[in-house]
Amino acid sequence: MIDFFHALADPDLAFLRNAFIVGIFASISFGVIGTYVVTKRISYLAGAISHSAFGGIGAALYLNTVLGLSFIQPIHGAIVSALGAAVITGLVSLYAKEREDTVIGAIWAVGMAAGLLFIDLTPGYFEISSFLFGDILLISSHDITMVICLDTVILLTSVLFFNKLLAVCFDDEYATLRGVNASRYYILLLCLTALTVVLLVRIVGIVMVIALLTLPPAVAGKFTSSMGKMMVLSVFFCMVFNGIGLGVSYSMGLSTGPVIIVIAGVTYLGVISLKRIKALVKSS
Amino acid sequence: MKSDHAVVLKDVSFSYNRGLVLDNVSLRVKNKDFATIVGPNGGGKTTLLKLLLGLLKPDSGTVEILGRSPEKSRLKLGYMPQYSHLDMQFPVTVMDVALMGRLGSNFWGRYSKQDRIEAEKALEEVDLKEHTNNHFSQLSGGQKQRVLIARALCSDPELLLLDEPTSNVDQESELALFSILKELNHRMTILLVSHDLGFTSQVVKSVICVNRKIKIHPTTTMDGTLIKDIYGGDLKMIRHDHRCTEEGHYHD
């Protein structure tokens, strides 16, 4: 682990330091938004949103290469399509008289399919797996700027509207009766989720990012019963998972994304098992 | 201009896809009344409540609450839903829930000191002051119902609507609940949905029977015909109204 800290300071390994900084900053949004996602029980929607970001990544590569719009980067496509998917899933779950999970599953798969088709249409070879599972080698200082900007937007919105979002998550019908436009805040929450998911696409990839959104709050929820404290603890756990995951993956030469996710998953399992064992010991 | 009626329904019909639920019903509830809405399951009790709250729109006819449309009167309504539809694992304290009743006044939804004072007062009124910082899920069924009443109260409503406040609570909580409601009735109109007729007759001033049609009865005329109206068959009524003589009657 000591080499890892040396490596962080090594000027030749700028990508590693960038990845570390991105991970730490992104954790702030992940902890806050993840807590909403977990308590409102919309992780399935968040899954659909993150996967459909791939559609935008494909479209951006196509626009960039085929139409020569060089200012369009994959991450921009991811942001646009994740936001689009957030609005569509929100509207479907609020108004469409369809089976919600069917439609969400469809958005999930169609988003990915569209991305793959765009990549097929784009000449040249692309490392698809770097988007799906993350690749820290691709992280630049530009990503840090973007993470900080999005962090600011997400944090400001979710903290300033905390009470309204809390009321909508807890009891949307009652929030409506208090003059809060519950549907609007619900869609706002999904849009914030979309922006958050995009932040860590580079590190853990769109397939696994959902776990990093839900596992830190799930662990945090075992230690507190207040929404605010749950957010702060989730931010902390998310930072720890990202930091340790990066360190372990660097030291052992493993892919970063999967290591982070496995650490998060094992921690969650560990925490619930310990709680169970404690309860058993107490009762016996 | 202030109307003497808290609720006025004129020729209201409502249907879901499965068919007509309320068929051309009219209803007037006076200010400061304490009325209970009763009727068989699927008879339209909850639908009626949602029409009053403006959560549903009637297919035809008009709904007037406190002299205006339900949407315009919304902030003057207190509503206590059934707690069973709430997520019991949700991380909120009793205070958090009560404070939600103070939402609506400002854009950001920030709570002022005054909001906290009102929420505390409401919690005190329902006798839950010592539970202010407890987790909502740690409370018993009856206490949860009272938190939801406190949430409705701290917006200082003129009309209080309660959805089955007596379901899932034990006898003792039910008695406590009704003594709170009796007190509140001095300053607001109360409408509650109930499936428990025997009990309501002791505190309630009038009974609204909903079964596609609406019929209104003052509680003094509670008898076999009323029961037949509501449940559509002859049933034996169990009298447990002997307590009335001790506390005085609350009939119109």
Side-chain angles (χ1 to χ4, degrees):
Chain A
M1 215 52 187
I2 303 286
D3 337 331
F4 174 62
F5 290 110
H6 286 303
L8 277 182
D10 188 339
D12 292 338
L13 295 172
F15 75 91
L16 193 67
R17 194 166 51 247
N18 290 342
F20 184 76
I21 296 171
V22 166
I24 294 299
F25 275 107
S27 297
I28 300 173
S29 295
F30 267 70
V32 172
I33 298 300
T35 302
Y36 284 120
V37 168
V38 166
T39 53
K40 178 77 178 152
R41 300 179 185 229
I42 50 170
S43 33
Y44 192 50
L45 268 73
I49 291 169
S50 66
H51 280 76
S52 51
F54 193 65
I57 290 173
L61 287 172
Y62 179 83
L63 292 174
N64 188 319
T65 315
V66 178
L67 301 183
L69 303 169
S70 57
F71 57 94
I72 298 180
Q73 295 299 313
I75 203 76
H76 302 138
I79 292 175
V80 172
S81 62
L83 282 175
V87 173
I88 294 170
T89 43
L91 292 175
V92 165
S93 84
L94 286 169
Y95 303 113
K97 302 264 181 284
E98 293 295 319
R99 291 189 182 89
E100 192 184 326
D101 57 331
T102 308
V103 180
I104 292 167
I107 291 172
W108 186 307
V110 170
M112 294 216 64
L116 284 168
L117 288 179
F118 273 120
I119 288 173
D120 276 350
L121 292 174
T122 310
Y125 174 75
F126 298 100
E127 189 67 66
I128 297 174
S129 73
S130 73
F131 297 112
L132 295 181
F133 307 111
D135 187 351
I136 58 167
L137 292 172
L138 295 175
I139 295 175
S140 65
S141 56
H142 172 76
D143 286 299
I144 298 180
T145 323
M146 204 197 63
V147 165
I148 292 176
C149 290
L150 287 181
D151 246 358
T152 314
V153 173
I154 293 164
L155 260 187
L156 270 181
T157 321
S158 55
V159 171
L160 285 175
F161 290 109
F162 178 80
N163 291 330
K164 288 192 172 184
L165 286 168
L166 180 72
V168 170
C169 289
F170 178 66
D171 186 351
D172 51 352
E173 190 181 62
Y174 191 81
T176 307
L177 292 174
R178 291 312 306 159
V180 177
N181 189 327
S183 320
R184 196 185 294 162
Y185 282 92
Y186 180 60
I187 289 177
L188 173 71
L189 182 60
L190 291 178
C191 288
L192 292 174
T193 308
L195 291 179
T196 306
V197 161
V198 171
L199 291 180
L200 280 184
V201 163
R202 290 275 203 222
I203 297 185
V204 289
I206 55 178
V207 174
M208 297 181 290
V209 74
I210 185 68
L212 212 51
L213 199 59
T214 53
L215 286 173
V219 176
K222 297 286 159 199
F223 297 102
T224 175
S225 54
S226 123
M227 188 93 166
K229 282 183 197 147
M230 192 166 159
M231 287 179 175
V232 175
L233 265 182
S234 307
V235 170
F236 168 76
F237 281 120
C238 197
M239 285 180 176
V240 170
F241 296 153
N242 269 314
I244 294 182
L246 193 61
V248 170
S249 74
Y250 175 77
S251 314
M252 299 176 66
L254 297 168
S255 311
T256 310
V259 173
I260 294 173
I261 300 300
V262 167
I263 289 176
V266 169
T267 309
Y268 178 60
L269 270 179
V271 168
I272 49 175
S273 322
L274 272 179
K275 284 244 156 184
R276 270 289 160 83
I277 293 167
K278 252 189 177 168
L280 279 177
V281 171
K282 235 185 203 170
S283 66
S284 66
Chain B
M1 205 189 78
K2 205 145 160 73
S3 138
D4 337 328
H5 288 88
V7 174
V8 181
L9 257 73
K10 273 191 206 128
D11 310 319
V12 169
S13 293
F14 185 86
S15 52
Y16 292 109
N17 293 336
R18 59 187 159 84
L20 201 60
V21 182
L22 291 174
D23 181 10
N24 203 23
V25 298
S26 295
L27 169 71
R28 278 164 179 276
V29 178
K30 275 200 193 123
N31 280 328
K32 301 281 159 56
D33 197 355
F34 191 144
T36 179
I37 301 171
V38 295
N41 288 333
K45 288 180 302 219
T46 305
T47 305
L48 177 62
L49 203 61
K50 297 212 158 157
L51 283 167
L52 298 181
L53 290 164
L55 293 171
L56 294 175
K57 296 256 166 297
D59 298 339
S60 62
T62 55
V63 180
E64 211 181 278
I65 305 292
L66 305 169
R68 301 199 293 173
S69 73
E71 286 82 7
K72 286 197 174 131
S73 294
R74 211 164 242 180
L75 294 178
K76 289 179 181 165
L77 300 185
Y79 171 54
M80 192 214 82
Q82 296 185 43
Y83 71 82
S84 51
H85 83 277
L86 298 172
D87 179 0
M88 281 311 136
Q89 283 187 30
F90 203 93
V92 278
T93 63
V94 169
M95 187 63 173
D96 289 336
V97 178
L99 273 172
M100 287 172 196
R102 298 292 296 178
L103 274 177
S105 45
N106 75 63
F107 176 74
W108 299 106
R110 295 270 121 197
Y111 298 127
S112 65
K113 206 162 187 183
Q114 187 60 33
D115 292 333
R116 286 178 190 283
I117 293 170
E118 294 294 333
E120 264 169 33
K121 231 165 70 187
L123 285 170
E124 198 171 352
E125 201 154 17
V126 296
D127 215 7
L128 282 174
K129 200 167 188 228
E130 68 276 23
H131 294 286
T132 306
N133 294 314
N134 284 12
H135 193 248
F136 183 64
S137 65
Q138 291 166 345
L139 304 181
S140 72
Q143 288 171 326
K144 283 190 189 108
Q145 306 270 36
R146 268 146 56 200
V147 175
L148 298 184
I149 293 181
R151 178 176 73 169
L153 287 182
C154 65
S155 57
D156 197 20
E158 289 175 31
L159 171 64
L160 182 60
L161 300 147
L162 306 105
D163 196 358
E164 307 234 0
T166 52
S167 62
N168 309 315
V169 298
D170 57 58
Q171 184 92 36
E172 202 180 323
S173 314
E174 197 171 305
L175 284 168
L177 185 77
F178 271 85
S179 75
I180 292 167
L181 292 179
K182 209 162 90 181
E183 202 47 51
L184 291 172
N185 190 216
H186 294 306
R187 57 176 214 258
M188 61 189 75
T189 315
I190 297 181
L191 249 169
L192 72 87
V193 169
S194 172
H195 56 249
D196 182 1
L197 250 186
F199 186 77
T200 53
S201 60
Q202 293 176 25
V203 251
V204 163
K205 293 171 186 165
S206 51
V207 177
I208 299 163
C209 302
V210 185
N211 191 3
R212 257 188 40 164
K213 291 282 189 185
I214 286 184
K215 285 184 181 150
I216 301 153
H217 307 265
T219 42
T220 34
T221 62
M222 275 290 249
D223 61 14
T225 22
L226 170 56
I227 302 291
K228 201 170 165 183
D229 264 357
I230 300 165
Y231 292 101
D234 276 322
L235 293 164
K236 279 197 174 153
M237 183 167 66
I238 302 163
R239 289 183 62 102
H240 37 106
D241 55 350
H242 55 278
R243 221 178 280 117
C244 289
T245 45
E246 287 165 29
E247 310 213 349
H249 287 260
Y250 275 86
H251 303 154
D252 262 351

